[in-house]
Amino acid sequence: MEICRLPVSATQRGKLISAGYTSLSSLSSVSPFDLARDLQTSESEASEILKAASQSGRLDKTDGSHAIIAGAQTAWDMLHEEDLSRRITTSCADLDKILGGGIACKEVTEIGGVPGIGKTQLGIQLAVNVQIPVDFGGLGGKAIYIDTEGSFMVERALQIAEACVEDMSEYHEFVRKNFQLSQVQVQPKDFLKNIFYFRICSYTEQIAVINYLEKFISEHNDVKVVIIDSVTFHFRQDFEDMALRTRLLSGMALKLMKLANKYSLAVVLLNQVTTKYSDGSFHLTLALGDSWSHACTNRVILYWNGNERYAYVDKSPSLRSASAPYSVTGKGIRDSASNCKRIKIM
């Protein structure tokens, strides 16, 4: 059960979320004294909140025990599900290849890199490509785009959508002589109508929207990708309590993993970079620390090799570490124009 459904006042729910208590499990081991300190409220009020949480938890356990048992599946079933799982193309063949065919559904993929490397461009590309009809090899889904930095450009999304329609038309002309294929009926404006955009201005708003996502997705069953651009921005400012930040990030990561698995959708987290001191020198690494690196299924690092953009699979349980070049063009993400040999990031 989420905090937003807890039978307490709206003010108390707001305080709980701001302090990092986003689920009943996060309240299960806290004392009234500690909760009162975190919420900056009286100990008696904290005790009332914990009492309400305890009662709600008992109700949830009665209803949820059978669901846990029913959710068991064999490893063979899981393998079969993976074989049937669809992926979202990046529109770059080399990048798709190292990703096993594209961005996987039911997984959380983190993509990070320096400013100007094309993170937002890739995010917009995925928001468009997830809508490619099934007849054309796509998922025919919709996208949620959570923008924390104000970097989403609707004009750019339209440009990429126009290029996508153009690509589908060319594909249709190429195969129509030998195969039966539906006419391209989607228009660029249709792609924009299927991108649900949330503008986030604080970390509390970010947590609130992520808590709201499950309800939103349950009402829009065709959502197949959630993109957060970037997951980092509001968590790198005004945080003196690092324990609170870690707790908030962990809760957010767990919710996103649950959404990906429950609704068979892809979660894509765009991340910034920071510097890390090791072996006597500073190195670029993805932001939010080592503990955050375990929050995603796959981690992809974007970097420059000379004047060429490269993507590197840094972490994945199912993909081997590999690099691939890509380009950012007027049409969006595309194959690299260069024939440079692939290299592995150091």
Side-chain angles (χ1 to χ4, degrees), residues 18-78:
S18 296
Y21 298 101
T22 56
S23 63
L24 285 187
S25 58
S26 62
L27 290 170
S28 59
S29 58
V30 68
S31 69
F33 176 79
D34 289 336
L35 184 62
R37 182 198 59 207
D38 291 344
L39 301 187
Q40 296 182 346
T41 187
S42 67
E43 202 166 329
S44 60
E45 186 177 345
S47 296
E48 288 299 316
I49 292 172
L50 291 174
K51 184 180 176 183
S54 175
Q55 290 172 346
S56 300
R58 282 197 294 272
L59 288 174
D60 269 12
K61 283 178 185 173
T62 354
D63 297 337
S65 55
H66 296 295
I68 294 170
I69 297 169
Q73 60 180 154
T74 66
W76 176 254
D77 291 335
M78 293 168 67

Side-chain angles (χ1 to χ4, degrees), residues 107 148 176 222 330:
E107 293 181 359
T148 67
R176 71 183 174 89
D222 40 6

Side-chain angles (χ1 to χ4, degrees), residues 237 284 332:
Q237 307 174 51
L284 282 178

Side-chain angles (χ1 to χ4, degrees), residues 17-18 146-148 198-213 234-235 252:
I17 291 170
S18 296
I146 300 173
D147 183 5
T148 67
F198 293 86
R199 178 70 174 99
I200 303 300
C201 298
S202 68
Y203 79 87
T204 49
E205 278 187 27
Q206 186 169 330
I207 293 166
V209 166
I210 288 170
N211 287 338
Y212 169 66
L213 280 182
H234 295 302
F235 287 92
M252 186 172 66

Side-chain angles (χ1 to χ4, degrees), residues 230-301:
S230 70
V231 69
T232 325
F233 186 69
H234 295 302
F235 287 92
R236 296 184 77 180
Q237 307 174 51
D238 304 325
F239 261 99
E240 295 178 3
D241 187 346
M242 290 296 106
L244 170 62
R245 190 180 85 157
T246 301
R247 189 164 67 235
L248 289 171
L249 287 169
S250 298
M252 186 172 66
L254 287 171
K255 283 185 175 62
L256 292 171
M257 289 177 192
K258 179 183 172 185
L259 283 175
N261 190 59
K262 182 175 180 179
Y263 294 99
S264 298
L265 54 83
V267 174
V268 178
L269 308 177
L270 304 183
N271 197 354
Q272 301 171 346
V273 294
T274 186
T275 52
K276 182 179 181 180
Y277 187 79
S278 64
D279 300 326
S281 60
F282 287 96
H283 303 277
L284 282 178
T285 184
L286 297 193
L288 298 180
D290 292 335
S291 60
W292 174 255
S293 66
H294 304 292
C296 56
T297 317
N298 309 299
R299 173 174 263 202
V300 179
I301 298 176

Side-chain angles (χ1 to χ4, degrees), residues 73-84:
Q73 60 180 154
T74 66
W76 176 254
D77 291 335
M78 293 168 67
L79 181 63
H80 183 60
E81 274 185 14
E82 281 190 20
D83 290 340
L84 295 176

Side-chain angles (χ1 to χ4, degrees), residues 54 59 103 193 341:
S54 175
L59 288 174
I103 300 294
K193 289 177 181 177
K341 184 180 178 182

Side-chain angles (χ1 to χ4, degrees), residues 150-195:
S151 52
F152 180 86
M153 299 162 286
V154 69
E155 295 84 1
R156 181 61 171 151
L158 179 60
Q159 206 174 29
I160 291 173
E162 288 170 346
C164 186
V165 171
E166 187 181 321
D167 289 345
M168 286 193 294
S169 300
E170 288 177 6
Y171 177 70
H172 177 268
E173 288 301 315
F174 179 73
V175 299
R176 71 183 174 89
K177 294 179 182 178
N178 303 312
F179 301 96
Q180 280 255 321
L181 192 65
S182 303
Q183 289 286 342
V184 181
Q185 297 179 339
V186 290
Q187 299 298 318
K189 65 179 182 181
D190 298 325
F191 284 92
L192 299 188
K193 289 177 181 177
N194 292 328
I195 299 175

